[in-house]
Amino acid sequence: MSRIGNQPINIPAGVTVSVGKDNIVTVKGAKGELKQAVDRDIKVEVNGSVINISRPTEQIRHKALHGLYRSIISNLVKGVSEGFKKDLELVGVGYKASNQGNVLDLALGYSHNIIFDVPKELKVSTETVKGKNPLILLESHDKQLLGQVAAKLRSLRKPEPYKGKGVRYVGEVVRRKAGKAAGK
């Protein structure tokens, strides 16, 4: 039995869920609208304020897709009702971030600034407080897109293990290494 796949998804007030032809699930809420194509073997049923997902057989493929689509649909419902946030911090001397609308201007220790266009579905803001690391705050109703953009920003300058400099998620722990041992 799938522990995740068998759990029902509660639909909060103000959110509508519909399953169209070709098994496309559409979720509408206060924060926006999201669509997800579901594999034709997985059955999605909307009963009042609860969504149930079921699989036809006990094949390994069906078991894997059962939990996967339950999690994805649950994230769609949570996204259109509450939304998601990811915060990144820039650790390093001279590292800066500023934004003009959805265009990020990053100074990450390279010879040039990096101009990064954030998709319009995301809301981006930057925060610089004296004595603290600059922050990039990302908000969206689409968890997949949010994670993808945050990972791309992090990949521009990954945290290195010796001084810990780079772009990292707030709360991320970077394993530090000892440098060269002093001779003699």
Side-chain angles (χ1 to χ4, degrees):
M1 294 302 280
S2 171
R3 282 185 239 164
I4 294 174
N6 287 330
Q7 293 176 358
I9 303 167
N10 294 320
I11 303 172
V15 176
T16 58
V17 179
S18 60
V19 182
K21 62 178 191 273
D22 298 333
N23 238 8
I24 294 177
V25 177
T26 305
V27 183
K28 294 178 186 173
K31 301 250 182 198
E33 176 182 343
L34 293 170
K35 292 183 180 189
Q36 175 67 42
V38 178
D39 190 89
R40 57 188 159 85
D41 293 340
I42 303 299
K43 189 175 181 185
V44 180
E45 296 174 333
V46 180
N47 301 325
S49 66
V50 175
I51 304 170
N52 291 312
I53 289 122
S54 58
R55 63 176 183 247
T57 67
E58 294 293 314
Q59 290 179 13
I60 292 174
R61 178 178 170 277
H62 289 157
K63 284 182 176 183
L65 293 177
H66 189 203
L68 170 75
Y69 283 118
R70 191 263 175 213
S71 295
I72 290 173
I73 293 170
S74 175
N75 286 337
L76 297 181
V77 171
K78 185 177 178 194
V80 298
S81 60
E82 302 169 25
F84 295 100
K85 288 183 180 181
K86 281 242 194 247
D87 300 341
L88 296 118
E89 65 179 332
L90 282 59
V91 180
V93 176
Y95 288 12
K96 294 180 189 138
S98 62
N99 68 309
Q100 297 287 319
N102 270 21
V103 177
L104 268 174
D105 186 4
L106 303 168
L108 298 176
Y110 295 114
S111 62
H112 59 284
N113 283 5
I114 298 170
I115 307 296
F116 188 87
D117 286 327
V118 178
K120 66 180 181 344
E121 292 88 2
L122 268 69
K123 196 170 101 181
V124 65
S125 62
T126 55
E127 193 176 287
T128 306
V129 179
K130 188 170 177 145
K132 292 190 176 180
N133 294 325
L135 292 175
I136 301 171
L137 311 167
L138 298 170
E139 287 183 52
S140 179
H141 62 281
D142 190 345
K143 187 174 185 178
Q144 291 175 335
L145 181 65
L146 180 68
Q148 186 178 357
V149 170
K152 178 66 179 167
L153 285 170
R154 184 181 181 274
S155 73
L156 295 174
R157 178 70 94 174
K158 287 185 180 169
E160 52 95 18
Y162 296 103
K163 290 187 177 178
K165 292 167 40 171
V167 179
R168 65 170 88 159
Y169 300 113
V170 171
E172 179 183 359
V173 177
V174 177
R175 281 189 62 199
R176 301 292 290 271
K177 290 183 178 178
K180 291 183 185 178
K184 300 179 190 171

